[in-house]
Amino acid sequence: MQRSCSRSMQPGPHGIPVRARVTLAAAPFLCLIVLSGSVLGQVPSAPAGPSVETVTVDVIQSRRQQAEQATDLDEATKQKVLQTYDQAAAMLDAAVKSAARVAELQTTIESAAAWTQESSRDLTAIAAQSPEVPGGNEDLQTLKKTRTEKEAALAKAKETLAALEAEAARRVSGRKEIPGLIAAAQEQLPKLSQDILAPLSPDTPAAVILAQRSLLLAQRQAVEQSIAALQKELPSYDATAELLPLQQRLATARAGLLENEVKKWREAENRLAVSEAASQAAQARQEAIHADPALKPFADENTALAELAKDTAKKIRTGLEGHEKAKAALEDVKKQFQQTRDRVETIGLTVVIGLSMRARRAALPDVAEYYESIQARQILIRDVQTDLFDLADKQSEDVKARIEESLSGPSSGGTRLSPEELEAAIGELLARREEYLQAAITTEDTYFQTLVDLDNTERQLIDQIEEYTGYIDERVLWIRSANPLRFSQLRLAGGVVKSGLCPRGWAAWRDVPEALYEDIHESPVLVALALAVFAVWLYGQRRLRIWIAGSGQTASQSAQQRIVPT
C-alpha cells in the first residue's frame, strides 16, 4: 500500500505528479457537474454503481407548476417551457401504458396454458349444450323480452368473434413488423442519451434547460418501455399459439348456439302473435254473427280491427325473415371484405389474390335488386304510417258520445234489448273494440319498425357492396386469364384461320366467281337492289361528312344563332 501511494506522487515526464495531473484533468468535468446541479436545483449524490436518471409524473407536474409561477420568464419563453412539460407528460403517459402492456403480456404468457385448458373445457361443454328454447307456456311479452336479450347476447358474441379474427390477422402482420420496430426504437436510444448529456447554449434560461432535459428523459423512458412491450409481443404470440384458434372456435360455437336460440324464440313469438291475432279475429266474427241488429256496426268494426291485426302479424313474419336474410348477407359481405383486406395487407396484390378478388366480386349480390326493393318499400311504409294515423284517430274518439249517438240513432229501434241492456252491450263491445284497436296499433307499429329496420339493413348492404366493389376495382385492373402465346402455337393459329376461311381447302375459292355469277343470273332484282342500297350509302356518307364539317364551322363562330345551346 505504501509503495502504491508513493508511486502515485512521483513526478511525471513534465515534472507534475501523476495524482495532480489526474486532478487537473478532471477539474473541468467537476465544474460542469457542479454547474449543472445548481441549474437543475438538485445535486444528485454519487451513486454506489451505474444508474439511469429518470423522471416521474409527479416531478413533471411539480416542475411545470414552478415554471408557471416563475416571474423571471417572458410570456413566450414560459409558454414554450409549459408546452415542453406537456410533451414530457404525454411521453410518460405512453411509457406507463407500455409498462402496463408489458405486465399484461407477462400475465398472458404465464396463464396461457391454464387458459387453453379452460377454453378446451368450455368448448367441450358448449358442444354438448342444447339450445334454450321456449317451453310453450310463455306469453307474448315474455317471448319478446327473452328474444331481445338473446339478440343482445348474440351481438356481443359476434363482436368477440370479430375481435379474435382481427387479432389473428394482427399477429400475422405483427410477426413481420415487430423486429423492425424494435430495431428502429433501439436506434433512438443512443441519440437520446447523447442529447441528454449534450450541454445547451450558455445563454439558454435555466427553466428551458430543465424542461428540455425532462422531455428527453421522458422520451427515453417511453422508448425503453416501448421496446420492452414489443419484445414481449412475440413470446406472447408463441405462448398463445394454441389458445387463439381455440378461442375462435369457442366464440364461433357460442355465436352459433345463440343464433339458433334467437331463431327459436323469434319463431315462437311470431307463432303466438299470429295465433292470438287469429283467435281475436275468430272471436270478433262470432260476436258479429250473434250480435243484435243495433250492435252489428260495432261488432263489424271489431271484426275489421281483429282481421287487420291478424293480417299484419303475418306480414311481420315475412318482414322479419327478409330482415334476417339481409343481415346475414351484410355480415357475409363484411366478413369477405375484411378477409380480402387482410390478405392484401399480408400477402400483397399477387395474381392469386387478384383472381380471388375478381371471383368474389362476381359473386357479390346485385345492388339493383336491393335498390328496387327499397323503392317499392317506401310506398308500403307510407301506407303503414297512414294506417297508424287512422288507428290513432279512432283511439281518440269519445266513447260516451258514441254510446249516446247509438242509443238515440235509428238503428236502436229494431233491437230486442231494453235501453239499459243495449247501453251495457254497446259499452262491452266498445271495450272489446279498445282491445282490438290496441292490438292492431301494436302490430302495425311492429310492422312499421320491421320495414324500417329492413330498409336500413338493405341500405347498409348496398353501401358495403359498393365499397367492396370499389376496393376491388381500384386494385384489380387486369388479370391474365390464360397462358401467354408461345411461338409453337403460331402453327396452330394458322390452321384455325384456314379452317375458318376455307373449311374445304384453298381450292374452294376458285368457285367464288362462278357462284357470284349464278346468283346474279338467278336473282338479278335482288342483286340490283343491294347494289343500289350500297351506292346510296356511299353517296350519303359523302354528304354526311360535308354536313358535319359545315356544322362544325358554324358552331365555331362566336356570334352564331342557328345552333341552340344545350
Side-chain angles (χ1 to χ4, degrees):
M1 183 69 183
Q2 183 67 28
R3 184 182 299 116
S4 64
C5 292
S6 60
R7 180 177 176 84
S8 64
M9 294 301 297
Q10 292 178 1
H14 301 285
I16 302 176
V18 175
R19 180 176 296 179
R21 294 206 324 270
V22 172
T23 304
L24 290 175
F29 298 99
L30 293 175
C31 293
L32 180 60
I33 293 173
V34 172
L35 288 174
S36 62
S38 62
V39 169
L40 295 176
Q42 56 182 356
V43 180
S45 59
S51 63
V52 178
E53 183 180 359
T54 60
V55 290
T56 63
V57 176
D58 294 337
V59 170
I60 295 297
Q61 291 177 350
S62 175
R63 292 178 180 177
R64 189 186 190 283
Q65 186 176 4
Q66 291 175 5
E68 196 171 8
Q69 296 173 355
T71 58
D72 57 340
L73 296 175
D74 59 85
E75 189 62 27
T77 303
K78 181 180 291 187
Q79 290 300 321
K80 180 180 179 182
V81 169
L82 295 180
Q83 290 177 0
T84 303
Y85 280 126
D86 290 339
Q87 294 175 5
M91 288 295 172
L92 286 182
D93 183 62
V96 169
K97 291 181 179 178
S98 296
R101 179 63 176 166
V102 170
E104 178 186 354
L105 292 173
Q106 182 61 35
T107 302
T108 299
I109 294 172
E110 295 174 354
S111 307
W115 291 347
T116 302
Q117 294 178 358
E118 181 181 357
S119 298
S120 180
R121 289 194 298 267
D122 292 343
L123 184 60
T124 303
I126 203 169
Q129 183 178 350
S130 300
E132 181 184 357
V133 297
N137 299 322
E138 297 85 359
D139 58 9
L140 196 58
Q141 287 299 114
T142 302
L143 291 172
K144 185 175 182 179
K145 179 182 177 182
T146 306
R147 188 256 306 166
T148 303
E149 293 174 351
K150 291 190 175 297
E151 284 180 341
L154 175 59
K156 187 175 181 180
K158 288 184 176 180
E159 289 178 0
T160 302
L161 179 58
L164 290 172
E165 292 175 347
E167 174 64 16
R170 188 184 70 85
R171 291 189 178 190
V172 173
S173 59
R175 288 189 178 276
K176 298 192 301 183
E177 297 174 358
I178 286 177
L181 294 175
I182 293 175
Q186 288 175 341
E187 291 178 357
Q188 298 179 27
L189 289 178
K191 179 67 167 57
L192 288 172
S193 299
Q194 291 177 3
D195 293 342
I196 292 172
L197 297 176
L200 297 178
S201 173
D203 299 334
T204 306
V208 176
I209 295 176
L210 183 59
Q212 188 65 29
R213 182 178 180 80
S214 301
L215 175 59
L216 291 172
L217 291 173
Q219 286 178 336
R220 184 171 66 180
Q221 290 173 224
V223 172
E224 289 173 346
Q225 291 298 327
S226 174
I227 293 173
L230 289 172
Q231 289 175 339
K232 283 289 184 182
E233 282 283 343
L234 294 180
S236 70
Y237 292 173
D238 296 334
T240 57
E242 183 181 356
L243 174 62
L244 183 59
L246 199 59
Q247 289 177 331
Q248 287 180 284
R249 291 167 54 195
L250 180 60
T252 302
R254 283 175 176 166
L257 181 65
L258 286 169
E259 280 184 347
N260 193 9
E261 291 180 352
V262 168
K263 181 180 178 182
K264 297 294 184 183
W265 285 86
R266 183 184 291 111
E267 289 176 351
E269 179 186 352
N270 293 336
R271 282 197 304 269
L272 185 58
V274 172
S275 176
E276 289 185 355
S279 298
Q280 288 183 343
Q283 183 179 354
R285 284 194 298 270
Q286 291 298 321
E287 291 173 352
I289 293 173
H290 301 292
D292 188 84
L295 302 176
K296 190 165 181 57
F298 299 97
D300 290 341
E301 184 180 1
N302 288 354
T303 302
L305 291 172
E307 291 289 344
L308 176 62
K310 183 186 73 172
D311 294 341
T312 306
K314 294 179 180 179
K315 294 177 182 177
I316 292 173
R317 172 182 287 185
T318 304
L320 289 174
E321 291 175 354
H323 188 213
E324 288 302 311
K325 291 180 180 179
K327 284 173 60 178
L330 177 60
E331 292 177 1
D332 183 59
V333 172
K334 283 183 177 180
K335 185 175 181 180
Q336 289 187 31
F337 194 6
Q338 187 61 45
Q339 288 177 348
T340 301
R341 280 187 293 203
D342 293 340
R343 289 177 181 177
V344 171
E345 292 175 1
T346 304
I347 303 174
L349 288 173
T350 63
V351 174
V352 176
I353 294 297
L355 291 171
S356 174
M357 292 168 67
R358 188 171 66 177
R360 290 194 173 190
R361 189 190 190 287
L364 287 174
D366 186 8
V367 295
E369 297 180 2
Y370 291 108
Y371 275 119
E372 294 175 0
S373 176
I374 290 173
Q375 186 176 4
R377 194 177 299 112
Q378 302 311 305
I379 302 175
L380 186 57
I381 290 176
R382 287 195 294 269
D383 292 342
V384 175
Q385 283 180 315
T386 303
D387 293 341
L388 283 172
F389 291 146
D390 294 340
L391 293 173
D393 292 340
K394 290 182 179 181
Q395 200 173 30
S396 62
E397 292 178 356
D398 189 356
V399 177
K400 292 183 179 180
R402 288 201 61 183
I403 293 176
E404 293 175 359
E405 181 183 354
S406 300
L407 291 175
S408 59
S411 60
S412 60
T415 181
R416 300 184 301 271
L417 303 175
S418 64
E420 293 78 9
E421 292 175 337
L422 180 60
E423 182 177 1
I426 292 176
E428 182 179 352
L429 284 175
L430 288 177
R432 295 287 296 168
R433 172 183 178 272
E434 188 65 26
E435 295 179 6
Y436 295 140
L437 188 59
Q438 186 58 48
I441 291 175
T442 301
T443 52
E444 285 288 320
D445 185 65
T446 303
Y447 185 41
F448 176 77
Q449 293 297 330
T450 302
L451 291 176
V452 171
D453 292 342
L454 175 57
D455 201 75
N456 291 334
T457 302
E458 288 189 349
R459 291 181 187 274
Q460 294 177 14
L461 178 57
I462 289 174
D463 293 340
Q464 192 69 32
I465 291 173
E466 291 179 344
E467 183 181 359
Y468 191 15
T469 303
Y471 179 87
I472 294 175
D473 291 342
E474 288 177 2
R475 288 158 178 79
V476 180
L477 299 178
W478 176 83
I479 297 176
R480 188 178 65 205
S481 58
N483 293 325
L485 291 175
R486 294 187 296 272
F487 183 78
S488 59
Q489 294 175 315
L490 293 178
R491 185 177 57 184
L492 297 176
V496 171
V497 171
K498 179 180 178 181
S499 61
L501 294 178
C502 47
R504 293 184 297 172
W506 295 107
W509 282 92
R510 301 173 184 174
D511 301 333
V512 172
E514 184 179 352
L516 288 175
Y517 177 79
E518 292 179 358
D519 289 340
I520 294 173
H521 184 72
E522 293 177 359
S523 306
V525 178
L526 183 61
V527 173
L529 181 61
L531 291 174
V533 170
F534 182 70
V536 170
W537 176 75
L538 286 177
Y539 181 75
Q541 200 177 35
R542 180 175 177 274
R543 290 180 60 87
L544 182 62
R545 284 197 297 267
I546 295 174
W547 178 81
I548 291 174
S551 299
Q553 292 179 357
T554 303
S556 64
Q557 299 174 5
S558 60
Q560 66 85 21
Q561 296 180 351
R562 293 171 55 192
I563 300 178
V564 180
T566 59

